[in-house]
Amino acid sequence: MITKKALNLDQYKREWIYTNSARDAWSKIIEIYKVNNPQGKILLPSYIGWSSNEGSGIFDSVLQSGLNYDFYGLGLHLDVNLDDLKNKVQQNKNPLVLLVHYFGFVDSKYDEITQWLTSNQIFFVEDCAHAWLTDLIGGVCGRKGAFSFYSLHKLLPVSTGGIMVSNNPNDNSGTEFTPFFQLNYDLLSIYNIRRSNYNYLINLLKNIEGIEIIYKELNEGICPQTLPVIIEKTDRTNLYHKMNEKGFGMVSLYHTMIQQLKDFPSDANTILANKIINFPIHQDVDYKDIEEMVDELKNILNA
């Protein structure tokens, strides 16, 4: 029998809960995990930033929970060391694993990682703070973990707001916040513009000596938050200040690691954190802006 319209209220349902920030959403998820695992452990990627103004979004929530924690390895391009992750999971009973989709990108082994976690019945969460359009529009992350969470101001011109998403909501759960009714933005256009700007900028950067693009290809479904590169022959901090003085809004995300990662042997926190800088590719940027930004970059590098 086929009904005239879809009637199953629970099919493909995701529960959306509005929070003040992604940090608050992550804290709520930890508390849900903690109910059944009061002595549990949280396994985190070994690339977690800290700033004097904002603290550390991911790690502050972990500390506040009072739960134990550990880190798993990441490579220079933020690729998960799957062997290390498996070892850490197997050493702990019912851990919570956090997967972070840095800068809107998905690990090349994402399917393998999530399949292994799922087959071993591991509770895992996807941090889509940078990647909520990669999830919502691209559909290539965010749906395999028990929960995911977003940060609205990372991609939209708003000052606050986060979303906690349950991929397995209870039958009696309600949706407190629905972005399709309360966010008056054309998300598909934003997704497309960011992708177009990213690809245009890659072509201008790829032959510049001393610049290594971390994600050299923009795979289908990915909506980048910024374009991160590794600076090889120039002081990253000096470049950051000079570019911003010229009016180009460069950022250096995760430039300072949390103290707890000081001695952790991972290329992401020992090498990348000292050399990373991020180019803006957001929806307010056009090709002319990008060309001017790259021209200024060349002037500084060749000075």
Side-chain angles (χ1 to χ4, degrees):
M1 182 179 70
I2 299 177
T3 57
K4 291 183 178 181
K5 64 177 184 177
L7 300 175
N8 190 338
L9 297 176
D10 298 317
Q11 184 122 277
Y12 305 116
K13 185 178 181 182
R14 304 175 81 197
E15 180 184 12
W16 295 56
I17 304 296
Y18 176 76
T19 59
N20 288 328
S21 65
R23 183 182 316 208
D24 287 348
W26 172 225
S27 294
K28 286 177 177 289
I29 294 167
I30 293 175
E31 290 306 310
I32 291 171
Y33 164 78
K34 190 176 176 180
V35 170
N36 294 321
N37 300 277
Q39 304 302 318
K41 179 177 283 189
I42 302 174
L43 300 180
L44 302 159
S46 55
Y47 190 65
I48 300 175
W50 174 89
S51 75
S52 56
N53 292 330
E54 298 181 358
S56 173
I58 293 175
F59 197 63
D60 288 349
S61 296
V62 174
L63 288 179
Q64 290 166 8
S65 75
L67 292 175
N68 291 324
Y69 59 86
D70 199 355
F71 305 100
Y72 59 87
L74 296 180
L76 185 60
H77 289 189
L78 300 173
D79 46 312
V80 173
N81 183 329
L82 185 50
D83 289 337
D84 188 45
L85 176 59
K86 288 180 178 180
N87 288 336
K88 297 289 173 61
V89 168
Q90 292 165 346
Q91 290 169 12
N92 295 281
K93 183 179 179 181
N94 300 324
L96 187 169
V97 174
L98 181 66
L99 302 178
V100 178
H101 302 305
Y102 294 101
F103 314 126
F105 288 81
V106 176
D107 195 284
S108 61
K109 294 183 178 179
Y110 172 73
D111 288 338
E112 182 181 355
I113 293 166
T114 55
Q115 183 177 2
W116 185 85
L117 291 170
T118 300
S119 64
N120 286 276
Q121 298 181 317
I122 304 303
F123 186 94
F124 70 97
V125 174
E126 298 185 54
D127 178 347
C128 298
H130 291 169
W132 66 281
L133 292 187
T134 300
D135 172 348
L136 185 61
I137 305 297
V140 295
C141 72
R143 291 168 168 78
K144 295 189 177 183
F147 293 90
S148 60
F149 57 92
Y150 310 150
S151 176
L152 300 184
H153 75 90
K154 301 292 186 183
L155 294 174
L156 296 179
V158 296
S159 60
T160 188
I163 301 175
M164 166 183 157
V165 183
S166 172
N167 289 319
N168 302 292
N170 297 323
D171 290 342
N172 60 352
S173 63
T175 298
E176 296 181 9
F177 175 74
T178 304
F180 297 108
F181 297 114
Q182 299 187 36
L183 285 178
N184 299 319
Y185 293 98
D186 181 350
L187 300 182
L188 179 59
S189 290
I190 293 172
Y191 169 92
N192 287 331
I193 291 169
R194 284 175 169 267
R195 285 180 57 86
S196 178
N197 284 341
Y198 189 96
N199 282 324
Y200 192 73
L201 182 53
I202 274 182
N203 287 328
L204 297 180
L205 292 176
K206 63 183 180 183
N207 294 320
I208 299 178
E209 186 178 358
I211 299 286
E212 182 185 353
I213 299 168
I214 294 178
Y215 302 103
K216 296 177 177 64
E217 294 184 5
L218 188 60
N219 293 333
E220 287 298 318
I222 300 297
C223 180
Q225 183 254 354
T226 53
L227 194 158
V229 303
I230 298 170
I231 302 298
E232 295 289 0
K233 299 180 179 181
T234 302
D235 180 78
R236 185 270 312 279
T237 302
N238 184 53
L239 177 62
Y240 166 85
H241 287 301
K242 285 188 174 182
M243 289 293 289
N244 276 277
E245 286 170 4
K246 293 294 185 177
F248 299 103
M250 307 286 288
V251 293
S252 185
L253 297 175
Y254 308 103
H255 56 80
T256 301
M257 296 286 97
I258 57 174
Q259 278 294 112
Q260 289 80 357
L261 280 170
K262 181 179 178 182
D263 299 318
F264 190 88
S266 170
D267 286 349
N269 70 284
T270 60
I271 300 175
L272 181 62
N274 298 315
K275 296 185 175 184
I276 191 170
I277 197 165
N278 303 66
F279 289 87
I281 46 83
H282 56 73
Q283 55 270 28
D284 291 352
V285 177
D286 61 28
Y287 285 178
K288 185 175 183 295
D289 296 327
I290 293 173
E291 291 166 0
E292 292 175 351
M293 178 170 62
V294 172
D295 285 343
E296 186 58 40
L297 172 69
K298 291 177 178 177
N299 289 335
I300 295 172
L301 293 179
N302 294 327

Coordinates of all heavy atoms in Angstrom, one line a residue, residues 25-35 42 58 61-63 65-67 96 123 125:
A25 N 26.1 23.2 23.3 CA 25.6 22.0 22.7 C 26.5 20.8 23.1 O 26.0 19.7 23.5 CB 25.5 22.1 21.2
W26 N 27.8 20.9 22.9 CA 28.7 19.9 23.3 C 28.6 19.5 24.8 O 28.6 18.3 25.1 CB 30.1 20.3 22.9 CG 31.3 19.5 23.3 CD1 32.5 20.0 23.9 CD2 31.5 18.1 23.2 NE1 33.4 19.0 24.1 CE2 32.8 17.8 23.7 CE3 30.7 17.1 22.8 CZ2 33.3 16.5 23.7 CZ3 31.3 15.8 22.8 CH2 32.5 15.5 23.3
S27 N 28.4 20.5 25.6 CA 28.3 20.2 27.1 C 27.0 19.4 27.3 O 27.0 18.5 28.2 CB 28.2 21.6 27.8 OG 29.5 22.3 27.7
K28 N 25.9 19.8 26.6 CA 24.7 19.0 26.8 C 24.9 17.5 26.4 O 24.4 16.6 27.1 CB 23.6 19.6 26.0 CG 23.0 20.9 26.5 CD 22.0 21.5 25.6 CE 21.3 22.7 26.1 NZ 20.4 22.5 27.3
I29 N 25.6 17.3 25.3 CA 25.8 16.0 24.8 C 26.7 15.2 25.8 O 26.4 14.0 26.1 CB 26.5 16.0 23.4 CG1 25.6 16.6 22.4 CG2 27.0 14.6 23.0 CD1 26.3 17.0 21.1
I30 N 27.7 15.8 26.4 CA 28.5 15.1 27.4 C 27.7 14.7 28.6 O 27.9 13.6 29.1 CB 29.7 16.1 27.8 CG1 30.7 16.3 26.7 CG2 30.4 15.4 29.0 CD1 31.8 17.3 27.0
E31 N 26.8 15.6 29.0 CA 26.0 15.3 30.2 C 25.0 14.1 29.9 O 24.8 13.3 30.8 CB 25.2 16.5 30.6 CG 26.0 17.6 31.2 CD 26.9 17.1 32.4 OE1 26.3 16.4 33.3 OE2 28.1 17.4 32.4
I32 N 24.5 14.0 28.7 CA 23.7 12.8 28.3 C 24.5 11.6 28.4 O 24.1 10.5 28.9 CB 23.2 13.1 26.9 CG1 22.1 14.2 26.9 CG2 22.5 11.8 26.3 CD1 21.7 14.6 25.5
Y33 N 25.8 11.6 27.8 CA 26.7 10.5 27.9 C 27.0 10.1 29.3 O 27.0 8.9 29.7 CB 28.0 10.8 27.1 CG 29.1 9.9 27.4 CD1 29.2 8.6 26.9 CD2 30.1 10.3 28.3 CE1 30.2 7.7 27.1 CE2 31.2 9.4 28.5 CZ 31.3 8.2 28.0 OH 32.3 7.3 28.2
K34 N 27.2 11.1 30.2 CA 27.6 10.9 31.6 C 26.6 10.2 32.4 O 26.9 9.5 33.4 CB 28.0 12.3 32.2 CG 28.6 12.2 33.5 CD 29.0 13.7 33.9 CE 29.6 13.7 35.3 NZ 30.0 15.0 35.8
V35 N 25.3 10.3 32.0 CA 24.2 9.7 32.8 C 24.5 8.2 32.9 O 24.3 7.6 34.0 CB 22.9 10.0 32.2 CG1 21.8 9.1 32.8 CG2 22.5 11.4 32.3
I42 N 36.5 10.5 27.7 CA 36.3 11.2 26.4 C 37.6 11.2 25.7 O 38.6 11.6 26.2 CB 35.8 12.7 26.6 CG1 34.5 12.7 27.5 CG2 35.6 13.3 25.3 CD1 34.0 14.1 27.8
I58 N 36.0 23.2 22.8 CA 35.9 21.8 23.0 C 36.4 21.3 24.4 O 35.6 20.6 25.1 CB 36.7 21.0 22.0 CG1 36.2 21.2 20.6 CG2 36.8 19.5 22.3 CD1 37.0 20.6 19.5
S61 N 34.5 22.3 27.9 CA 33.3 21.5 28.2 C 33.7 20.2 28.9 O 33.0 19.7 29.8 CB 32.5 21.2 27.0 OG 31.9 22.4 26.4
V62 N 34.8 19.6 28.4 CA 35.3 18.4 28.9 C 35.8 18.6 30.4 O 35.4 17.8 31.3 CB 36.5 17.8 28.1 CG1 37.1 16.6 28.7 CG2 36.0 17.5 26.7
L63 N 36.5 19.6 30.6 CA 37.0 19.9 32.0 C 35.8 20.1 33.0 O 35.8 19.6 34.1 CB 37.9 21.1 32.0 CG 39.3 20.9 31.4 CD1 40.0 22.3 31.5 CD2 40.1 19.8 32.1
S65 N 32.9 18.9 32.8 CA 32.2 17.6 33.0 C 32.7 16.8 34.2 O 32.0 16.0 34.8 CB 32.1 16.8 31.7 OG 33.4 16.2 31.5
G66 N 34.0 17.0 34.4 CA 34.7 16.2 35.4 C 35.1 14.8 35.0 O 35.7 14.0 35.8
L67 N 34.8 14.5 33.7 CA 35.2 13.1 33.2 C 36.7 13.1 32.8 O 37.3 14.1 32.6 CB 34.3 12.8 32.0 CG 32.8 12.6 32.2 CD1 32.1 12.4 30.9 CD2 32.6 11.4 33.2
L96 N 33.5 7.9 25.0 CA 32.9 8.8 24.1 C 34.0 9.3 23.2 O 35.0 9.9 23.6 CB 32.3 10.0 24.8 CG 31.4 11.0 24.1 CD1 30.7 11.9 25.0 CD2 32.2 11.9 23.1
F123 N 30.1 5.0 21.3 CA 29.3 6.2 21.3 C 30.2 7.3 20.8 O 31.2 7.6 21.4 CB 28.9 6.6 22.8 CG 28.0 7.8 22.9 CD1 26.6 7.6 23.0 CD2 28.6 9.0 23.1 CE1 25.8 8.7 23.1 CE2 27.7 10.1 23.2 CZ 26.4 10.0 23.2
V125 N 30.5 11.3 18.6 CA 29.9 12.5 18.3 C 30.7 13.3 17.2 O 31.9 13.2 17.2 CB 29.8 13.4 19.6 CG1 29.3 14.8 19.3 CG2 28.9 12.7 20.7

